[in-house]
Amino acid sequence: MTSAAKQPPFIPFESFEIGQIQNFGAYEVTKEEIIEFASKYDAQFFHLDEEAAKQSLFGGLCASGWHTCSMTMAMLVENMDKTGRGLGSPGLDELRWLKPVFPGDILSVQMEVMDLLPSKSRPTIGFVVNKVTVNNQKDEPVMSFVSKGIFPRSQS
Amino acid sequence: MTSAAKQPPFIPFESFEIGQIQNFGAYEVTKEEIIEFASKYDAQFFHLDEEAAKQSLFGGLCASGWHTCSMTMAMLVENMDKTGRGLGSPGLDELRWLKPVFPGDILSVQMEVMDLLPSKSRPTIGFVVNKVTVNNQKDEPVMSFVSKGIFPRSQS
């Protein structure tokens, strides 16, 4: 079990800068994982059945959009294990599934700091607004969203 | 395997009305599933370790926000199996994780049609804009978002 003590340290809110960009991740998408995820959470034929999926808008078996979100989160957490962690997230905006994610695709993340918002009601925290773009191995964006992360403010 | 032919029929775009509300679902959240999902996709201590999670912002072990999205999608698909299906979704807006989702919670969905947007470039489809609210067994909203679904237009 992971304990709180064994987690990487928090990143202080003050360490972020607008315009800062990080690139990370190399998540290989498999047919087996697409079908396993969809069987549990998104049992639509274009996520389950290779033959039938050819008749869909997507042209072939592709990952559930929520699966792409989840694979992206796995890359975000792997990055946090290296750079430091946040306190959580209240949500996100402008989530767009731009292209289908197919078996064999290798996904990576580009994250750019768009805004820094100290909390008005809670002086101990601040919100970091990031544009998150997920690309496939051809550098085509397959998904993007604008996320908010909560980070602790340095006590001065 | 599910085939396209065995899927429920499509719902035509014209059958939706602004203000239409549907309530459905009863997804029981288990500790085992929270930990299983988080182990794969969101390995932060507040989704993995009951004891350590007590020290987090959430006050206890709780589901990954992406897991809550995925459980919600399972309820949406179950409802589509009864009422009819769409062609997919280009994305969503204003996703908010409003309250932690704990083991033992029973989630349900309320979906309200907010807007109907015939596609300007593709006369065969239209977009249905829904406000999706996920409640727990105490009728507290735990998550909400505004989704866009793609539906076929009746050919006239």
Side-chain angles (χ1 to χ4, degrees), chain A residues 1-4 7 27 33 35-37 40-46 48-49 52 57-58 66-67 69-71 73-74 77 80 85-97 122 145 150, chain B residues 1-4 7 27 33 35-37 40-46 48-49 52 57-58 66-67 69-71 73-74 77 80 85-97 122 145 150:
Chain A
M1 270 304 166
T2 315
S3 77
Q7 293 274 322
Y27 198 110
E33 193 183 323
I35 293 172
E36 189 193 347
F37 186 98
K40 277 189 195 156
Y41 298 119
D42 195 350
Q44 300 188 77
F45 73 95
F46 35 75
L48 288 171
D49 181 337
L57 272 191
F58 311 112
W66 299 114
H67 186 194
C69 291
S70 302
M71 293 187 282
M73 190 66 204
V77 170
M80 278 196 261
R85 61 185 160 128
L87 291 157
S89 168
L92 53 90
D93 290 283
E94 295 170 49
L95 174 61
R96 297 292 176 268
W97 292 301
R122 299 178 59 187
F145 57 81
I150 309 170
Chain B
M1 267 306 166
T2 313
S3 78
Q7 292 274 320
Y27 198 110
E33 194 183 323
I35 292 171
E36 189 193 345
F37 186 99
K40 278 188 195 157
Y41 297 119
D42 194 351
Q44 301 188 78
F45 72 95
F46 34 75
L48 289 171
D49 182 338
L57 272 192
F58 311 112
W66 299 113
H67 186 196
C69 291
S70 301
M71 293 188 282
M73 190 65 203
V77 170
M80 278 196 262
R85 61 184 161 129
L87 291 158
S89 169
L92 53 89
D93 290 282
E94 296 170 47
L95 173 62
R96 298 291 175 269
W97 292 299
R122 298 177 60 186
F145 56 80
I150 309 170

